[in-house]
Amino acid sequence: MKLIYQTEDKNCMQTTIASLLDLELSDVPDFSKMKNPNHEEMKFLIERGYSIDTIYNTNVNKYEGDEKEYTNYLNDIKNLNGVGGYFYGVVMSPKYYKPDLPIYNENQIHHAVIIDKNFNIVNPINKEYENTKFPLCDEIGYNGLLYILVINKNV
């Protein structure tokens, strides 16, 4: 992983992939400008020989009022490799978080970060977010992580 920061507003997906995979920012498309950013990001990774798994923080369900019990598998990353021991995490954007809207509302903006196996945010991707307590840290735990993308190089 190399430390790269966003060069423009909302290019955190591009920056996270470049940082995590040791690529130049210019070698990764700005997914935020594409019609289906998540699909294009997954396609980019798969075409380069990576597999992707998603682990959701089920504390989000409780926070939003779901009373059903779910098993939270976030701690599974402690036994996974990811990319050099790092993982792609997704949190609420400190700049754009709207507490009056549901977390997965289309008008909420999430922010990509890089975390280690202990859920520490090792690269907040936006220099302004260094030493920031991300939204929902206390409410959902795990440094406010909504979900983690486990990216692995296929052998």
Side-chain angles (χ1 to χ4, degrees), residues 56-63 70-74 146:
Y56 290 92
N57 181 352
T58 57
N59 293 340
V60 170
N61 301 66
K62 289 180 186 175
Y63 174 74
Y70 296 94
T71 302
N72 202 331
Y73 292 102
L74 285 183
L146 305 176

Side-chain angles (χ1 to χ4, degrees), residues 6 11 18 37 39 44 47 50 57-58 69 72 90 93 107 120 128 155:
Q6 283 181 269
N11 75 330
H39 173 78
F44 178 85
E47 287 173 352
Y50 291 91
N57 181 352
T58 57
E69 285 298 316
N72 202 331
V90 177
S93 169
N107 294 312
N120 297 307
E128 292 177 24
V155 188

Side-chain angles (χ1 to χ4, degrees), residues 5 7 13 17 29 31 37 40 43 61 66 69-70 76 115 119 123 139:
Y5 293 106
T7 55
M13 294 168 73
I17 293 296
F31 304 108
E40 294 299 330
K43 183 176 158 189
N61 301 66
D66 187 344
E69 285 298 316
Y70 296 94
D76 286 0
I115 64 167
F119 311 104
N123 184 353
E139 295 84 351

Side-chain angles (χ1 to χ4, degrees), residues 5-12 14-15 25 30 32-33 126:
Y5 293 106
Q6 283 181 269
T7 55
E8 58 185 81
D9 199 28
K10 298 183 184 174
N11 75 330
C12 64
Q14 173 192 24
T15 308
L25 191 60
D30 184 351
S32 70
K33 294 179 178 171
N126 185 322

Side-chain angles (χ1 to χ4, degrees), residues 42-93:
M42 295 301 135
K43 183 176 158 189
F44 178 85
L45 290 165
I46 291 166
E47 287 173 352
R48 280 150 188 81
Y50 291 91
S51 63
I52 306 100
D53 291 306
T54 306
I55 305 175
Y56 290 92
N57 181 352
T58 57
N59 293 340
V60 170
N61 301 66
K62 289 180 186 175
Y63 174 74
E64 297 217 310
D66 187 344
E67 295 182 22
K68 184 177 176 187
E69 285 298 316
Y70 296 94
T71 302
N72 202 331
Y73 292 102
L74 285 183
N75 284 308
D76 286 0
I77 71 166
K78 294 177 188 267
N79 301 315
L80 302 173
N81 294 325
V83 179
Y86 298 107
F87 302 86
Y88 182 125
V90 177
V91 294
M92 297 304 298
S93 169

Side-chain angles (χ1 to χ4, degrees), residues 14 23-29 44 48:
Q14 173 192 24
L23 298 172
E24 296 301 320
L25 191 60
S26 59
D27 293 333
V28 180
F44 178 85
R48 280 150 188 81

